[in-house]
């Protein structure tokens, strides 16, 4: 035992100066950033790291005391992330996300996104046909709290007033936008989160979401206000529905990976697909925020139908170009 302690002290005495120098450089870089290191210090860092790594290998081989091995393991781990780790600033990371990561994730999900969109269209068409044939179907698709007085019993004048009423600024349009953003975010998150259950809950949610729109459109169309309702909805819906379709596509992709994992295990397939889908979902939150602002402000302040449709067209084309316009692959 005494021989081992002597060997450990001699080993430390011969190399400790280099370990301490490496530790000081790491503390300086961690506290003030790598840019504060001089040129000589930057060049010395990988040399000191390799020396510490060699010392750790020797210490393990000759079974020196555990405290020394633990110290060297911690030191080498810190140095490894400095020497070989990728260091990006917050601004650079955000730029990479918006310029590359998010659009790439959405492009990879284009097939399930198309399926999600078609499911909403089917739900809208079915609900529209049913409500036009029998208005009593309306309550099966739209909750009274959601309709807010826009139902088959409302007169044409009452429906028109809901489309063009200008709220008092004191009512707090920002509060209204926040409420709608929260509601739409819940729909999108449920569509994503429920996808693992073999796609069925997500598919059902997409159909039901479309059915709500179809039922509302049928009520307004009975009074000749279908075109006006389209502008009222699409000024924010071009962004909102696109976001929900992407969220539904993300959920469907995870469910599909669980059902058909291929050569991978179901857990591995779901995890791999889930990482890509999660990147797309992070951007969906941004889209829903934009939709909430358009709903709470632009739609209420801009009452001309053609202006509303113009904004819907511009935002729809902008999102489509942003996601699917060909671009150079990221290095």
């Amino acid at each position: 035992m005494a021989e081992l302690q002597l060997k450990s002290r001699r080993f430390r005495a011969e190399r400790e100066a280099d370990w301490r120098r490496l530790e000081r450089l790491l503390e300086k870089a961690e506290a003030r950033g790598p840019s504060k290191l001089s040129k000589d210090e930057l060049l010395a860092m990988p040399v000191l790291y390799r020396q510490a790594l060699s010392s750790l290998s020797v210490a393990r081989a000759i079974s020196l005391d555990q405290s020394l091995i633990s110290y060297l393991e911690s030191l080498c781990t810190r140095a490894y992330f400095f020497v070989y780790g990728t260091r990006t600033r917050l601004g650079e990371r955000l730029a990479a996300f918006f310029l590359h990561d998010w659009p790439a994730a959405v492009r990879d999900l284009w097939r399930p996104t198309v399926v999600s969109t078609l499911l909403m269209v089917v739900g809208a068409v079915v609900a529209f046909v049913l409500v036009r044939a029998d208005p009593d179907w309306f309550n099966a698709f739209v909750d009274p709290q959601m309709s807010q007085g826009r139902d088959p019993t409302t007169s044409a004048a009452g429906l028109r007033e809901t489309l063009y009423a200008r709220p008092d600024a004191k009512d707090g349009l920002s509060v209204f936008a926040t409420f709608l953003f929260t509601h739409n975010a819940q729909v999108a998150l449920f569509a994503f989160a429920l996808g693992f259950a073999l796609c069925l809950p997500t598919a059902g949610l997409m159909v039901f979401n479309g059915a709500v729109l179809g039922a509302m459109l049928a009520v307004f169309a009975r009074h000749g206000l279908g075109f006006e309702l389209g502008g009222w909805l699409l000024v924010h819906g071009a962004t909102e529905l696109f976001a929900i379709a992407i969220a539904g596509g993300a959920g469907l992709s995870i469910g599909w990976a669980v059902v058909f994992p291929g050569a991978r295990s179901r857990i591995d397939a779901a995890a791999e697909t889930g990482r890509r889908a999660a990147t797309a979902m992070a951007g969906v939150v941004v889209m829903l925020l934009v939709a909430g602002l358009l709903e709470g402000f632009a739609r209420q302040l801009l009452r001309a139908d053609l202006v509303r449709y113009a904004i819907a067209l511009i935002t729809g084309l902008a999102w489509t170009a942003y996601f699917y316009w060909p671009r150079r692959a990221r290095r």
Side-chain angles (χ1 to χ4, degrees):
M1 188 67 174
E3 182 182 355
L4 180 62
Q5 293 177 347
L6 178 62
K7 188 185 298 184
S8 178
R9 286 197 297 270
R10 184 181 304 147
F11 181 82
R12 180 188 291 268
E14 292 174 352
R15 296 170 173 83
E16 188 172 15
D18 291 334
W19 303 341
R20 296 301 182 189
R21 185 185 178 197
L22 176 60
E23 189 172 13
R24 287 193 298 272
L25 291 179
L26 287 172
E27 290 174 352
K28 181 178 179 180
E30 291 167 351
R32 303 170 60 188
S35 61
K36 298 300 182 181
L37 297 179
S38 67
K39 181 179 179 180
D40 292 338
E41 289 173 334
L42 288 172
L43 292 174
M45 184 73 75
V47 176
L48 293 171
Y49 163 66
R50 292 183 181 90
Q51 290 176 351
L53 202 60
S54 176
S55 298
L56 175 60
S57 178
V58 172
R60 286 172 171 170
I62 62 178
S63 301
L64 294 182
D65 65 279
Q66 188 59 42
S67 61
L68 177 60
I69 294 176
S70 298
Y71 166 75
L72 289 173
E73 286 176 344
S74 174
L75 182 64
C76 290
T77 300
R78 292 168 61 195
Y80 171 83
F81 284 109
F82 179 87
V83 175
Y84 295 107
T86 301
R87 294 177 296 278
T88 57
R89 298 177 181 177
L90 178 60
E92 295 173 343
R93 189 67 193 90
L94 290 175
F97 174 78
F98 285 106
L99 293 177
H100 301 285
D101 299 347
W102 181 24
V106 173
R107 285 196 302 274
D108 290 342
L109 295 173
W110 74 268
R111 289 183 180 87
T113 300
V114 170
V115 173
S116 175
T117 303
L118 291 176
L119 289 172
M120 284 196 289
V121 171
V122 169
V125 171
V126 171
F128 180 86
V129 172
L130 290 175
V131 175
R132 283 299 297 268
D134 183 1
D136 289 339
W137 277 100
F138 179 83
N139 292 325
F141 299 115
V142 184
D143 186 88
Q145 186 177 1
M146 181 180 294
S147 64
Q148 296 182 349
R150 308 178 186 97
D151 55 53
T153 63
T154 308
S155 64
L159 292 176
R160 180 179 291 275
E161 183 180 356
T162 64
L163 296 177
Y164 300 106
R166 185 188 296 275
D168 190 339
K170 295 180 181 180
D171 291 342
L173 292 180
S174 59
V175 176
F176 182 55
T178 302
F179 167 78
L180 292 171
F181 165 70
T182 303
H183 170 75
N184 296 331
Q186 288 175 346
V187 173
L189 290 175
F190 273 122
F192 169 66
L194 297 176
F196 74 94
L198 310 182
C199 302
L200 296 179
T202 298
L205 188 57
M206 292 296 99
V207 172
F208 183 76
N209 195 61
V212 172
L213 297 177
M216 292 290 292
L217 182 60
V219 169
F220 281 80
R222 291 180 67 232
H223 297 284
L225 296 173
F227 178 82
E228 290 81 355
L229 178 67
W232 188 84
L233 287 173
L234 290 178
V235 70
H236 68 94
T239 299
E240 177 184 317
L241 295 177
F242 203 160
I244 293 176
I246 293 173
L252 291 175
S253 69
I254 296 176
W256 190 263
V258 172
V259 177
F260 301 103
R264 304 164 295 179
S265 67
R266 283 186 166 82
I267 294 178
D268 290 341
E272 181 180 341
T273 306
R275 286 190 290 269
R276 177 183 59 193
T279 301
M281 279 301 301
V284 163
V285 176
V286 177
M287 295 181 70
L288 291 174
L289 178 60
V290 173
L293 294 174
L294 290 172
E295 174 135 12
F297 292 90
R299 190 184 67 180
Q300 304 296 332
L301 300 176
L302 302 173
R303 299 194 291 175
D305 294 326
L306 293 181
V307 174
R308 289 175 173 178
Y309 275 103
I311 293 177
L313 179 63
I314 292 171
T315 54
L317 291 176
W319 288 118
T320 302
Y322 172 68
F323 290 128
Y324 302 111
W325 190 267
R327 65 192 73 190
R328 292 182 179 179
R330 184 181 181 186
R331 291 184 180 181

